[in-house]
Amino acid sequence: MGMTIAEKILAAHSGHETLVPGQLIECKTDWVLCHEITTPAALRMLEERGMDRVFNPDQIVAVPDHSVPAMNIKAAQMYQKLKSWVKEKGIKHFYDVGRGGIAHVVLENSGLIKPGQTLVSGDSHTCNAGALGCFATGVGSTDLAGAIYAGRVWFKVPETMLIRVTGKMQPGVTPKDLVLEVIKRIGADGANYLVMEWVGDTIDNLDMEGRYTLTNMAIEAGGKTGIVAVDDTTRAYLAERGVNPGDYTEYTSDADAKYRVVIDVDASAVEPTVAYPNIPSNGRVAGSDRIAVTHAYVGSCTNGRIGDLRDVARILKGRKVADGVQMIVVPATQLIWKQAASEGLLEIFVDAGASVSYPSCGACLGMHSGVLGPDDVCISSTNRNFVGRMGDPTAAIYLASPATVAASAVSGFISDPRDYNGSIEAAD
Ligand SMILES: CC(C)[C@H](C(=O)O)[C@@H](O)C(=O)O
Ligand code: SF4
């Protein structure tokens, strides 16, 4: 029987010729990604058991990102724990504050993670890296401890959902709108423990940044991970990072691979989509209701990349953030920050009255850089709008594309970015 990309990667990492969904396997991990929030708990578990070692210091990537630079003493201690462990174990790839940013985005850009590999991390958006044609997933602290210690994790082989996307997206519509539309259709549990494999000419025509936005949000539909097969776009992206086809294995799904379900999406019919509180599946067309906002947030591992910042700048250029709206832009990494500075984007943001913050998870999970207060209303390019996610439990979070966030910041109401089509097309 044919196999999917995910099944083939898992087979190759568990010493099996073939695999079937549901099978339990012990899987080798090529990479373990560690940040300062979940790693300390895993390290404590290992220390308490006298198992305080790492399987390979060259295959661990450590990036403090959630609560850095530290905003309180507790955060400073978590950071210290990660940093001292990195030093003690000789962890080779450490992206300290000032050299990194959001772990997932630092990793995707690093040239370390490659197609055909496996990656785990104690973070649910690890699925982000699946856009590179690898199997990447989040695990709990116990599995993280096991992976750090032995370079192995247990998996139940997941079934796969095939998402076939065809057609051209309208100007002003982005991969974020597409993924919010898919999650709206299948539900926040619609892909529970499934791999979400994206195919079709729309996906073929997407750049890597857009593909990351899709795979990043697999977890918001309950997915085990998201995945996109390697193509020329992937190869060129990797080559720019010094990684050549001989350095990795490309897997493709067989024509007779078995899928749990197939979803067909006409990309030309997707509209700018906003997920209303308090669940990412609560999508509606942007601007269909008149909702005043107090905050506009651009950032996160879903939409804090350079293309996202360019989308925002196109709309903000020559305009002002509406009175009474606090807009914060958080470039996902130092590299993106620098690129945005060199392209003059940061200046556009500041001239418009937006505040630019340092690369980190920021207010995405309500830790710092714009935590929401009681009854605040935020339009955000992040991935989760659960109660209390960005701060006070009475605050309302609306998830959208960076373009929709920018359009809404300017008007003061959740707005359709197609009303700014001139700005969007001008830069294409
Ligand atoms: C803090 C971390 C464990 C968490 C996650 O796993 O996703 C965070 O990144 C989030 O987005 O909620
Ligand atoms: S940016 Fe947000 S979603 Fe991404 S890892 Fe950080 S907290 Fe989690």
Side-chain angles (χ1 to χ4, degrees):
M1 196 181 71
M3 294 203 289
T4 63
I5 310 177
E7 288 157 8
K8 289 183 186 181
I9 298 175
L10 293 179
H13 285 76
S14 59
H16 292 90
E17 282 278 306
T18 57
L19 283 180
V20 285
Q23 195 171 331
L24 284 176
I25 56 161
E26 192 183 322
C27 176
K28 277 199 269 179
T29 53
D30 293 309
W31 295 102
V32 179
L33 177 65
C34 290
H35 61 53
E36 83 288 12
I37 301 291
T38 47
T39 308
L43 298 182
R44 253 194 315 279
M45 260 182 242
L46 292 174
E47 284 159 13
E48 281 163 14
R49 285 162 182 75
M51 295 165 72
D52 180 20
R53 64 154 212 194
V54 299
F55 78 107
N56 184 342
D58 297 350
Q59 286 173 260
I60 295 179
V61 182
V63 193
D65 59 356
H66 282 67
S67 53
V68 292
M71 64 298 203
N72 56 35
I73 296 165
K74 175 101 183 22
Q77 287 170 329
M78 309 273 269
Y79 165 76
Q80 282 178 340
K81 176 73 189 162
L82 186 75
K83 193 171 171 177
S84 60
W85 173 70
V86 159
K87 190 153 180 237
E88 186 188 312
K89 302 299 180 211
I91 305 295
K92 186 167 165 194
H93 307 289
F94 177 50
Y95 294 85
D96 204 349
V97 178
R99 289 144 218 213
I102 302 175
H104 305 301
V105 186
V106 169
L107 183 68
E108 77 193 27
N109 249 310
S110 65
L112 294 172
I113 177 87
K114 299 175 188 68
Q117 293 191 321
T118 56
L119 160 73
V120 297
S121 168
D123 191 288
S124 63
H125 293 99
T126 308
C127 47
N128 180 73
L132 284 168
C134 58
F135 187 90
T137 192
V139 294
S141 284
T142 313
D143 285 324
L144 177 63
I148 290 171
Y149 176 80
R152 285 165 194 277
V153 285
W154 287 100
F155 285 132
K156 186 174 87 171
V157 177
E159 293 181 279
T160 298
M161 163 187 277
L162 187 70
I163 308 165
R164 265 190 317 226
V165 194
T166 50
K168 196 169 165 358
M169 288 190 283
Q170 302 166 36
V173 177
T174 70
K176 178 63 162 291
D177 302 296
L178 172 60
V179 70
L180 286 174
E181 166 66 23
V182 168
I183 296 172
K184 174 184 162 186
R185 272 171 62 173
I186 65 176
D189 58 356
N192 268 2
Y193 210 81
L194 302 179
V195 175
M196 296 172 78
E197 182 181 329
W198 296 83
V199 298
D201 60 72
T202 315
I203 309 302
D204 298 341
N205 291 326
L206 279 187
D207 60 11
M208 285 307 299
E209 294 200 351
R211 296 178 189 183
Y212 287 126
T213 300
L214 300 180
T215 52
N216 178 281
M217 288 200 61
I219 187 65
E220 308 316 331
K224 184 73 175 164
T225 191
I227 205 159
V228 180
V230 174
D231 65 2
D232 281 342
T233 303
T234 330
R235 290 179 203 111
Y237 173 92
L238 288 164
E240 278 171 30
R241 286 155 182 81
V243 183
N244 297 304
D247 304 332
Y248 52 85
T249 314
E250 296 182 13
Y251 293 99
T252 47
S253 293
D254 294 324
D256 60 344
K258 200 159 171 282
Y259 292 97
R260 163 79 166 267
V261 58
V262 180
I263 310 275
D264 280 298
V265 184
D266 171 6
S268 66
V270 175
E271 302 202 67
T273 302
V274 175
Y276 281 34
N278 294 308
I279 190 159
S281 54
N282 199 9
R284 313 224 191 128
V285 177
S288 43
D289 302 299
R290 192 168 163 84
I291 298 167
V293 298
T294 58
H295 287 66
Y297 185 87
V298 177
S300 86
C301 56
T302 310
N303 281 121
R305 300 186 176 84
I306 191 68
D308 300 321
L309 303 187
R310 288 182 190 137
D311 284 355
V312 172
R314 263 166 227 152
I315 291 177
L316 289 192
K317 193 172 175 153
R319 299 193 173 95
K320 291 277 181 209
V321 171
D323 283 346
V325 176
Q326 180 187 115
M327 181 171 196
I328 298 180
V329 181
V330 187
T333 65
Q334 290 283 105
L335 283 178
I336 294 168
W337 197 102
K338 197 173 156 200
Q339 177 78 23
S342 75
E343 291 182 17
L345 309 184
L346 302 187
E347 205 172 328
I348 294 172
F349 301 152
V350 172
D351 285 347
S355 178
V356 181
S357 187
Y358 46 83
S360 76
C361 294
C364 173
L365 83 169
M367 283 191 143
H368 57 106
S369 298
V371 175
L372 302 179
D375 300 322
D376 279 340
V377 179
C378 182
I379 180 90
S380 175
S381 78
T382 55
N383 48 40
R384 287 184 174 154
N385 55 354
F386 309 146
V387 172
R389 166 76 179 178
M390 296 179 76
D392 192 86
T394 63
I397 305 162
Y398 293 81
L399 305 177
S401 71
T404 301
V405 174
S408 309
V410 167
S411 68
F413 294 87
I414 295 181
S415 300
D416 187 331
R418 288 173 298 192
D419 297 341
Y420 295 81
N421 262 356
S423 337
I424 290 163
E425 280 158 0
D428 282 344

